[in-house]
Structures are given as C-alpha cells and as structure tokens.
Amino acid sequence: MTIKNKKTIKEAIIVEGRDDTAAINRAVEAMTIETHGFGMPDSIWPLIDKAYQEQGIIIFTDPDYAGEKIRRKIAQKYPDCKQAFLPKGKALKKGNVGVENARPEDIIEALENAHCTTGDGGGTFTEEDLFAWDLAGGPQARARREALGNALSIGYGNTKSFLRKLNQFQISREEFLRKVKEL
C-alpha cells in the first residue's frame, strides 16, 4: 500500500538498504541515503556530511543489533541529528526484523516522532529514576524499558543506553512520568 498525498520530509533519511528506501518511499516523499548495512563504504560519509549540513538527517535503522550499531556510529559523528525508531513488533515479518517490513502508517508515525539529540547526553534523568520506576535492576526491567522506549519513540536500550537516550532526546520529566505510569 502506498499513501496518497504523501507528506514530504525535508531531512535526508539514513537507512540500511534499498528495501528500506522502497518502504520509506511508499510512506513519504523523502531523500534516503543507504548505508549498505553494517560495512558502510567510505563513499557514504561525504553524502551524509552534505545532507547533514544542508537539510539535516534522520537516522532510521532497523530495530536490531546491527541497526543500533550503525545508528550509534552515525549519531556519534552527527550529534544534532534526528532519530526515528520502530518497535520490533512493527518491523517484523516472517521472523525478519527491518524497516522494510513496516507498514507505511508506522513509518510515518516513527518519522513524525523523530527526536533530535543534544549531543552531550547530560540531562535530567539519573539511574535512581530508572530504579524508582522498575526500569533497572528488577525481573521486569528489560520489558518495561522496551515498552517505555516504544511509548516515547526512543527505542530500546540496556540501563546505561536507555538513560543516555532519555537525556539526549530531551525527554521531559512530565512526558516520562505520563508514559511510565501508563505501563
């Protein structure tokens, strides 16, 4: 299914491959830059540099280990980028996890909820917040972080990376409390 009267995204969307580009194009009008997976060729960096400086970028990689590793590598070099996330459940088809499996509506929602990073990771939240809300140290902590990451559109992370995401993506304490209470 392709969306009629598609929204145009001004930023370049960084994806892993051509199937991701096809899925993005079914949902929105946008320029994509393909990393070609984990082994990004050196020729990709100048393209990302140009897009970052001229129009901004949104990192939109698969919700799996390789996708997160690619995301971290790009976000480290471009600290003021936006990042869009899909929960695994919305990117899953026949055991395969990837942006290419998402419905156009889910892609649009992820892009609309893309967060800008601050680059420094310093912020409001501490490990004590995670422990206080059963997001660290307990038997349900992993599942609760995953659910909250999906609700906040920041993706999953272990305790340390989840804390960094809360701060980097400038999640307000009010939004955090509202979403964590809904779990």
Side-chain angles (χ1 to χ4, degrees):
M1 175 174 116
T2 301
I3 303 292
K4 292 181 182 180
N5 301 319
K6 294 187 273 187
K7 180 179 179 177
T8 300
I9 305 295
K10 74 173 184 77
E11 298 93 347
I13 302 173
I14 311 302
V15 297
E16 293 180 53
R18 69 174 186 259
D19 292 338
D20 298 330
T21 291
I24 297 293
N25 289 334
R26 284 192 294 273
V28 297
E29 294 287 333
M31 174 186 151
T32 60
I33 299 173
E34 298 167 7
T35 67
H36 304 289
F38 197 65
M40 293 173 56
D42 289 340
S43 61
I44 297 300
W45 293 108
L47 295 173
I48 298 174
D49 284 341
K50 183 173 173 53
Y52 180 72
Q53 292 174 12
E54 293 181 4
Q55 66 198 83
I57 61 172
I58 300 173
I59 303 170
F60 197 16
T61 55
D62 296 346
D64 59 10
Y65 177 79
E68 283 301 310
K69 198 155 183 165
I70 294 166
R71 178 185 299 276
R72 282 193 305 271
K73 185 176 184 180
I74 296 169
Q76 184 176 16
K77 188 167 179 167
Y78 305 100
D80 293 323
C81 66
K82 288 184 179 178
Q83 296 189 45
F85 295 89
L86 270 175
K88 276 188 182 178
K90 291 185 176 184
L92 189 62
K93 185 177 182 181
K94 297 180 182 174
N96 178 30
V97 174
V99 170
E100 72 271 13
N101 299 319
R103 298 178 317 153
E105 306 84 54
D106 294 330
I107 290 171
I108 292 168
E109 181 180 5
L111 291 169
E112 287 174 346
N113 291 321
H115 291 279
C116 186
T117 61
T118 62
D120 64 4
T124 318
F125 297 97
T126 66
E127 283 188 12
E128 287 77 27
D129 292 309
L130 300 185
F131 282 104
W133 291 99
D134 297 324
L135 297 166
Q140 297 298 315
R142 183 185 202 290
R144 288 179 58 79
R145 281 192 313 275
E146 185 171 359
L148 183 59
N150 290 340
L152 293 170
S153 298
I154 63 172
Y156 171 76
N158 63 26
T159 301
K160 184 178 176 181
S161 65
F162 194 77
L163 181 60
R164 187 182 71 245
K165 285 182 178 190
L166 287 172
N167 290 316
Q168 279 185 328
F169 294 127
Q170 305 172 34
I171 303 299
S172 71
R173 187 153 295 273
E174 294 77 24
E175 183 180 13
F176 172 85
L177 291 173
R178 186 175 67 251
K179 296 292 185 178
V180 80
K181 288 175 182 176
E182 292 173 5
L183 294 180

